[in-house]
Amino acid sequence: MCVFYRNNNEELSVDGMSLGAIAKQYGSPLYVYSAAGITDAFTRFQNAVAPVNGKVYFAMKANSALGVLALIGKLGGGMDIVSAGELARAIAAGIKPSDVVFSGVGKTNDEIRQALACNIGQINAESQAEVAAISAIAKEMDLLAPVALRVNVDVSPSTHAKISTGERNTKFGISTNQREACDIYQQMAKDPHISPAGLAVHIGSQIRDLAPFERAYSALLALAIELRNAGWPVPNLDLGGGVGIDYDTAGPTDFKEYGLLVQRLFAGQGFNLGFEPGRAIIANNGALITQVIYVKQGGDKRFIIVDAAMNDLLRPTLYEAHHAIWPLDKPGISTSKADIVGPVCETGDYLGLDRDMPNLSAGDGLAILSAGAYGAAMASNYNSRSPAAEVMVVDGAAHLLRAARPIADYINDEMIPNYTDIPE
Ligand SMILES: *Cc1c(COP(=O)(O)O)cnc(C)c1O
């Protein structure tokens, strides 16, 4: 069952609190997360990979609120990061750097230096040039860098093109074709400044079918065994994230089948396994609450104009993503289809198109479901809008995770050059 449910008064609620009441207190638009839901999802994922001793590194790019990271840290999670900014967040949330894996195709020298300086658990390198850069920096710092190679096993995950990373022609990983990955791994294993940490793979996101995982993991395992048989240490296999969720029901994700697949492939093979789920832990445990500003009829269309916009939740326009949208109060009978749109000056600024919606009027509240992942983390200041604040409900009480930044703060960051020499 979805963590967002109707209470006895038909008010959409989470963990005993009505979302309308939370929005009244903290304002609208507002992200609301469920600590109980996150705990449940994370724990079930951990349990699904426990038989193979899997360690779970939450992919922070899905949601980087410190309050979310600290909760996952408390549950035993490490972090998968993609920038020095995310490293700073992991540390600020109390995560041990040794429990952090650094992914990403374009780590700068400065980012590599920062990661090594705090004794990061593992860097997943994605090119020969990156391995060389890490080696040079490790030499300069006089330490041994723990580096795994992210390989590209050329598996299409059959998901949206913008979140597909597994094919040969994407920018991700080192191709296992033409033996490139094998050669680079051997070179790396001989490097006196690198401690070879193993291999990593991540084929994409929102993958709802196990077949692409099976193909990718089988290819990774074959390469790992080949390298190990050749005498090279391959301690860790990082199996990435990508497990998909149900955006129609916004219900919890079952990890049992995924766990069984991993057991079938890796049990008894002698590798330490790492996992990097992001979306599957947090997406359905967060909703974006918004309020109707106006309703208008444009030609045959009903437009419901709300106070949340693409700067708060980019997924609908970026990925053509579908999010369920539910009225906060008792929903009447659907009267006609409507587009739910924001105030931003872009035709692409919508949260849902052609949705069956009851009669709504100014002030009515809506919840955009499944917004916990790639929602607040992707928010921007576009149109000089301050992104929605974030709240976590813990044991029936709401806690502010991040206040909306006052527009004055953005303005105060900026400077106007002295234009006195320019004729008016
Ligand atoms: C984005 C990403 C993840 C998380 O993907 P989800 O689909 O959110 O689980 C994990 N690992 C890497 C390397 C990523 O880039």
Side-chain angles (χ1 to χ4, degrees), residues 264-391:
R264 178 156 59 77
L265 294 175
F266 294 98
Q269 296 283 6
F271 298 101
N272 304 317
L273 298 182
F275 298 86
E276 304 170 345
R279 187 192 310 268
I281 304 301
I282 181 91
N284 283 347
N285 295 308
L288 175 59
I289 311 307
T290 185
Q291 217 177 38
V292 177
I293 309 175
Y294 300 114
V295 178
K296 80 169 184 183
Q297 200 69 32
D300 292 338
K301 273 237 170 208
R302 179 166 56 129
F303 291 100
I304 298 170
I305 302 160
V306 297
D307 64 3
M310 65 188 281
N311 75 298
D312 298 300
L313 182 65
L314 190 58
R315 299 191 70 261
T317 194
L318 181 61
Y319 306 124
E320 288 128 18
H322 175 95
H323 287 258
I325 301 179
W326 297 346
L328 293 194
D329 292 328
K330 182 182 164 87
I333 294 165
S334 167
T335 49
S336 66
K337 304 253 186 216
D339 287 0
I340 295 91
V341 302
V344 164
C345 301
E346 295 272 351
T347 308
D349 179 31
Y350 61 86
L351 299 160
L353 298 178
D354 286 322
R355 301 301 180 83
D356 288 315
M357 280 284 149
N359 265 328
L360 289 167
S361 50
D364 285 345
L366 295 172
I368 297 142
L369 278 292
S370 308
Y374 307 104
M378 277 191 184
S380 79
N381 183 220
Y382 188 41
N383 275 211
S384 287
R385 291 167 52 87
S386 186
E390 295 170 89
V391 161

Side-chain angles (χ1 to χ4, degrees), residues 137-264:
I137 294 166
K139 180 178 178 191
E140 169 197 306
M141 296 175 77
D142 194 23
L143 46 75
L144 207 51
V147 184
L149 273 198
R150 173 164 171 187
V151 297
N152 183 322
V153 290
D154 198 11
V155 166
S156 164
S158 57
T159 185
H160 190 277
K162 284 194 177 147
I163 49 174
S164 177
T165 59
E167 293 104 329
R168 196 141 45 100
N169 295 328
T170 69
K171 68 179 176 183
F172 298 100
I174 297 168
S175 175
T176 50
N177 290 2
Q178 283 97 40
R179 319 224 24 87
E180 202 188 342
C182 211
D183 292 346
I184 296 176
Y185 196 88
Q186 296 181 36
Q187 275 173 39
M188 186 175 92
K190 287 186 236 169
D191 189 306
H193 310 291
I194 288 178
S195 149
L199 299 171
V201 73
H202 172 76
I203 56 172
S205 199
Q206 185 52 12
I207 302 165
R208 303 217 57 210
D209 173 13
L210 287 178
F213 286 119
E214 174 153 15
R215 273 181 278 136
Y217 292 171
S218 302
L220 184 81
L221 181 61
L223 176 61
I225 290 173
E226 184 187 334
L227 285 165
R228 191 174 59 185
N229 287 346
W232 307 107
V234 188
N236 310 321
L237 296 182
D238 178 341
L239 301 183
V243 175
I245 63 142
D246 189 338
Y247 278 96
D248 291 322
T249 64
T253 309
D254 190 352
F255 304 116
K256 285 201 198 84
E257 293 297 320
Y258 177 81
L260 290 173
L261 167 69
V262 167
Q263 284 174 54
R264 178 156 59 77

